[in-house]
Structure formats: structure tokens, C-alpha cells
């Protein structure tokens, strides 16, 4: 009862920190006990016990949110098609993956937040594949029973726009384009960290969008349709300009679709509720929260955003014109703060679309029409696409091929090491006194 009352007075931030400390202590204790047991078993079996460690999952895929199922579904489908066993672990209890009827891919909900990380910290696998940054920085620790951690991007953006140290402790990064290589190498050099394996693999969800678009075709509307799809946080469009911006869009007479970033519901629920009450759904305005963004992207004639990665989904797959609001990107908590000059994203945006400043709001309709008809921005989209989205249409195959190849290399190395240890142990026992 005393402990329960004590918890009631702990603020959420402190509680999360305490929970992380407790997890760290418990995990460390478990590893110590497990390590002693393995060494004892290894001694009794003359090295043969090491072979059991090779019977790990080929690959564990971890997703911290159901919103990334569009990234991982093609990968899971390919593992299933090839008959390769793997695990998909999700921190969302309503992840669509849990409804799949796979035979070789085991999908499992591992809890939310710290509970998920507590399990990840003790998992056993040859490879862990994830889009989640921050490995070995806060709650998510490298498990001693995972041989290799591989990061894939869930969109096209700088490798430096993760929160600090987001990629530092991964062993491998599968990139969307070569432009990310220089950024990652620079961070390794700055921090004197080991050099990672880097491979250009592509982007699974963009490949899926492209394949779907080729089948369904681009939708053409009688009335021009504007998609407002901002990022989240203090500097995003909805926070910075709010009702004023939405009203100016309505004044154009065009159809408006507003698709807030999924994280907005979590970090700014009151702001979102207020805007939705001021501007309810009607014939010419709708709010979209679908997990699948294909329909609203395909339905739109132009996208307005800020620094959200969706601008590249739209510009590169749908060859759609974009406008981006004059918002300030806060570098302080990101790896980009270690670098001088603008990020790739901020230097690329002016080449593929028009910046929309507050003094332009009254001329919104004319500017939208101008951007839609611009050949200059179309050429910019084509050049940026070739630079940042490489291996188009090949991402799923590239990722699964790499995972299987890396798995085989690691298992072969472990078998060789175990064999050498066994021979050494046998030699010690075979010596005459």
C-alpha cells in the first residue's frame, strides 16, 4: 500500500526514468545469471553447449507503432513467400500484422512503451531489423543474444534528423539513397564510433505505393483538391498557424483534406480537438486519419506540408506538386545540430516546391494554381527522385536478400568459433599429466 501511494505522487517523466533504471538493473542481473549458466553448461559439455546458441530466430523485426506496418508488410510477405521463419514484434496491440495468417512469420504484441523494450532487451535472435532509432541510448538496450542490429528508414529523409545518437549503435543501415552515406560516415567520425555496414536498399512503402499507383492509375478530380499533411510538434503548420491557415485554404473554394501526423493525437490532442470542432467535416473539407494514406495522396492535386517526409512520398511516387509552410526546424535535439548548413531536406524543398509564407496566405489560390502548372518544380522532382530514391521497385528483395546473407555469414562464423573452442577444450582435457 505504501509503495502504491508513493507511485501516485511520481510524475510521468520521473516514473519512466525510474522504470528504465529498474529494467536496466533487472536485465543486467538476468544476463549475469544466464552468462554463468551458459559457461557452466559449456564446461560440462566440452564446448558442445555452444551449438544451442545457434538455434536463434533468423530475424526479429521490431515495430514501435502500427503506422509502420506499410514498411514491414512487404518484408514479412517476402519472408513468408520464401518459407523463411522470422518474428514480427510490435508495440501496438491493434497492429494490422496481428491479423495476418502467416505460417512462417510469427506476429506478436510485446507490450507498449517500457514493457516492449524490457522484452527486447532480453530477446534472442541472429538479426534484429527495425526502423526505431535510439538503440542503446535510453530504454532500448542491445541484447547480448542478438548478433546484428539493422536499421531501415521508413521514408526518404536525412540520416541526421533523428534525435541525437539515433543510429549510432546499429551495426548496419540500409539506406534509401547514397546521399545518406556521407551523413552517417561524418557522424561516425565525429564521435569516433565503429564504421557501420551501409547498403542502398530502397524504400519498401514507396515501392508499394508505386506498384499500387501503376495498377489503379492517377485519380483526376472535377474540382481541385488540396491535401494538408503537416508534421507534428510546436513548429508544425497546425500549431504555428492553426485556424487561420485552414480558413485561408477554405477560402480558395477548393476541396480540402486535412491529414494530421499520427503523433499529433498523442502530443497535441487538445489543439487537434479544437481545430476539428471549428472546422467539422463537410462537403468541401474532411479530416483523414487512415493508416493507409494512398487514397488521399492519389486524390489530391497538390500537397501542402512543412518538413514532413510525406512530401517526398507525394512528389516522388505521384509526381505531385508541393508547397511547404514557412516553419522553423528546431535542430537542437537532432543529430543535424552537429553539422553546419541546411539538411538535405531543407536544401531540396525549394527545388521541388514553393515555400508558402504568411504574407502569401491571402493569395493562396493563385499560388496553388501556379505551383501545379510549374515545369521548373517538375524537373526538380525528377532530379531529387533520382538522388534520394534509388533501387526503385527492389527494396523488399534487397532487404530480405541482405538479411538472409548476413544471417548465413553470422551463423557460419559462430559455428567456426564454436568448433575452434570445442577443439581447444578437447585438447586441454586430452593432455597427459
Amino acid at each position: 500500500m505504501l509503495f502504491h501511494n508513493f507511485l501516485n505522487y511520481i510524475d510521468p517523466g520521473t516514473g519512466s526514468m525510474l522504470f528504465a533504471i529498474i529494467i536496466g538493473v533487472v536485465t543486467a542481473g538476468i544476463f549475469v545469471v544466464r552468462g554463468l549458466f551458459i559457461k557452466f553448461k559449456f564446461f560440462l559439455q566440452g564446448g558442445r553447449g555452444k551449438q544451442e546458441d545457434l538455434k536463434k530466430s533468423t530475424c526479429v523485426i521490431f515495430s514501435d507503432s502500427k503506422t509502420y506496418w506499410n514498411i514491414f508488410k512487404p518484408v514479412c510477405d517476402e519472408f513468408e513467400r520464401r518459407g523463411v521463419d522470422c518474428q514480427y514484434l510490435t508495440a501496438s496491440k491493434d497492429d494490422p500484422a496481428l491479423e495476418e495468417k502467416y505460417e512462417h512469420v510469427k506476429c506478436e504484441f510485446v507490450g507498449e512503451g517500457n514493457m516492449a523494450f524490457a522484452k527486447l532487451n532480453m530477446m534472442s535472435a541472429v538479426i534484429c531489423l527495425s526502423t526505431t532509432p535510439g538503440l542503446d541510448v535510453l530504454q532500448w538496450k542491445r541484447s547480448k543474444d542478438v548478433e546484428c542490429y539493422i536499421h531501415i528508414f521508413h521514408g526518404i529523409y536525412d540520416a541526421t534528423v533523428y534525435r541525437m545518437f539515433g543510429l549510432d549503435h546499429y551495426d548496419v543501415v540500409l539506406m534509401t539513397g547514397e546521399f545518406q552515406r556521407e551523413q552517417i560516415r561524418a557522424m561516425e567520425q565525429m564521435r569516433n564510433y565503429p564504421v557501420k555496414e551501409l547498403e542502398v536498399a530502397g524504400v519498401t512503402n514507396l515501392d508499394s505505393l508505386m506498384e499500387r499507383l501503376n495498377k489503379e492509375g492517377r485519380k483526376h478530380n472535377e474540382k481541385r483538391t488540396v491535401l494538408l499533411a503537416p508534421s507534428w510538434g510546436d513548429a508544425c503548420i497546425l500549431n504555428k498557424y492553426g485556424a487561420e491557415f485552414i480558413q485561408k485554404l477554405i477560402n480558395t473554394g477548393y476541396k480540402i483534406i486535412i491529414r494530421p501526423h499520427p503523433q499529433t493525437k498523442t502530443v497535441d490532442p487538445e489543439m487537434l480537438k479544437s481545430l476539428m470542432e471549428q472546422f467539422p467535416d463537410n462537403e468541401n473539407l474532411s479530416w483523414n486519419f487512415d493508416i493507409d494514406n494512398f487514397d488521399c495522396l492519389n486524390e489530391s492535386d497538390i500537397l501542402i506540408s512543412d518538413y514532413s517526409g510525406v512530401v517526398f512520398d507525394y512528389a516522388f511516387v505521384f509526381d505531385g506538386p508541393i508547397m511547404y509552410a514557412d516553419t522553423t526546424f528546431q535542430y537542437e535535439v537532432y543529430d543535424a545540430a552537429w553539422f553546419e548548413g541546411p539538411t538535405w531536406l531543407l536544401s531540396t524543398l525549394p527545388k521541388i516546391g514553393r515555400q508558402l509564407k504568411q504574407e502569401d496566405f491571402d493569395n493562396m489560390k493563385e499560388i496553388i494554381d501556379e505551383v501545379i502548372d510549374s515545369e521548373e518544380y517538375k524537373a526538380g522532382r525528377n532530379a531529387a527522385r533520382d538522388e534520394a530514391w534509388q533501387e526503385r521497385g527492389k527494396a523488399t528483395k534487397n532487404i530480405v536478400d541482405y538479411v538472409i546473407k548476413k544471417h548465413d555469414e553470422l551463423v557460419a562464423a559462430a559455428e567456426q568459433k564454436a568448433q575452434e573452442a570445442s577443439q581447444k577444450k578437447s585438447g586441454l582435457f586430452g593432455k597427459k599429466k
Side-chain angles (χ1 to χ4, degrees), residues 3 6 8 28 68 104 133 154 195 266 274-275 285 323 326 337 397:
F3 182 68
F6 170 70
N8 288 336
Y68 301 128
H104 296 281
H154 61 257
V195 174
T266 301
S274 174
L275 289 177
L285 184 144
M323 294 167 62
D326 181 18
K397 180 181 183 301

Side-chain angles (χ1 to χ4, degrees), residues 60-69 72 76 87-99 105-113 115-117 119-120 123 129-130 132:
V60 168
I61 299 172
F62 170 61
S63 176
D64 60 67
S65 171
K66 64 182 180 182
T67 59
Y68 301 128
W69 178 233
F72 289 120
C76 290
Q87 289 180 284
Y88 176 87
L89 306 182
T90 175
S92 294
K93 59 185 176 182
D94 56 347
D95 194 314
L98 301 173
E99 302 298 321
V105 181
K106 180 182 178 182
C107 300
E108 179 183 352
F109 170 59
V110 291
E112 298 175 340
M115 186 60 68
F117 292 126
K119 293 183 179 180
L120 290 171
M123 70 179 174
L129 179 72
S130 182
T132 306

Side-chain angles (χ1 to χ4, degrees), residues 98-385:
L98 301 173
E99 302 298 321
E100 295 286 341
K101 304 299 181 183
Y102 290 128
E103 180 181 350
H104 296 281
V105 181
K106 180 182 178 182
C107 300
E108 179 183 352
F109 170 59
V110 291
E112 298 175 340
N114 287 323
M115 186 60 68
F117 292 126
K119 293 183 179 180
L120 290 171
N121 295 348
M122 294 181 286
M123 70 179 174
S124 179
V126 177
I127 288 170
C128 176
L129 179 72
S130 182
T131 68
T132 306
L135 173 66
D136 226 26
V137 177
L138 293 174
Q139 290 96 328
W140 188 17
K141 304 300 182 184
R142 288 181 64 107
S143 170
K144 295 181 180 179
D145 287 328
V146 174
E147 303 295 327
C148 179
Y149 285 87
I150 301 177
H151 182 84
I152 60 173
F153 291 93
H154 61 257
I156 294 176
Y157 45 84
D158 297 74
T160 62
V161 296
Y162 285 128
R163 288 182 178 267
M164 285 188 188
F165 319 112
L167 296 179
D168 286 356
H169 302 290
Y170 274 93
D171 303 297
V172 179
V173 177
L174 300 182
M175 305 175 294
T176 70
E178 282 290 345
F179 78 102
Q180 294 160 337
R181 185 185 300 273
E182 182 179 353
Q183 298 171 343
I184 295 171
R185 291 293 184 237
M187 287 189 287
E188 291 168 345
Q189 188 173 8
M190 284 179 182
R191 296 163 185 167
N192 196 27
Y193 280 167
V195 174
K196 302 172 188 62
E197 289 188 33
L198 302 178
E199 294 282 344
V200 175
V203 197
T204 58
N205 58 314
L206 264 63
D207 286 352
S208 298
L209 284 173
M210 181 176 65
E211 182 179 359
R212 189 170 170 185
L213 181 63
N214 289 338
K215 290 179 180 178
E216 299 187 20
R218 194 73 160 91
K219 185 173 181 179
H220 299 285
N221 307 300
E222 293 183 4
K223 176 186 285 190
R224 278 187 165 169
T225 300
V226 179
L227 172 61
L228 174 61
S231 186
W232 60 278
D234 293 339
C236 78
I237 292 174
L238 294 182
N239 261 319
K240 186 170 183 179
Y241 300 119
E244 176 192 7
F245 194 89
I246 295 174
Q247 187 59 58
K248 296 296 184 181
L249 285 178
I250 293 172
N251 293 347
T252 64
Y254 292 147
K255 182 178 178 181
I256 310 299
I257 301 173
I258 306 176
R259 181 180 169 84
H261 190 283
Q263 193 69 10
T264 308
K265 282 187 174 182
T266 301
V267 298
D268 288 309
E270 293 303 319
M271 176 272 290
L272 187 58
K273 179 182 177 183
S274 174
L275 289 177
M276 292 182 71
E277 289 175 349
Q278 291 180 66
F279 303 98
D281 283 349
N282 58 60
E283 183 179 352
N284 290 314
L285 184 144
S286 62
W287 294 82
N288 182 281
F289 296 95
D290 296 341
I291 294 178
D292 183 359
N293 65 0
F294 177 85
D295 288 335
C296 64
L297 290 174
N298 195 27
E299 183 181 350
S300 305
D301 295 294
I302 189 169
L303 168 70
I304 299 178
S305 187
D306 35 48
Y307 46 84
S308 172
V310 73
V311 298
F312 297 111
D313 298 1
Y314 187 70
F316 292 172
V317 177
F318 298 86
D319 194 25
I322 68 161
M323 294 167 62
Y324 56 99
D326 181 18
T327 60
T328 303
F329 187 84
Q330 303 295 329
Y331 286 99
E332 289 79 5
V333 298
Y334 299 98
D335 279 317
W338 292 60
F339 295 83
E340 295 182 0
T343 60
W344 176 88
L345 184 153
L346 293 182
S347 62
T348 301
L349 283 176
K351 302 173 185 177
I352 66 174
R354 163 76 182 263
Q355 185 181 57
L356 186 64
K357 299 182 179 181
Q358 194 163 9
E359 55 264 32
D360 298 327
F361 288 1
D362 289 334
N363 301 316
M364 191 89 77
K365 184 178 185 300
E366 291 77 10
I367 294 174
I368 287 174
D369 292 340
E370 175 189 325
V371 172
I372 289 176
D373 297 331
S374 171
E375 290 297 323
E376 179 183 353
Y377 291 138
K378 183 177 179 63
R381 294 195 295 271
N382 291 336
R385 183 189 298 111

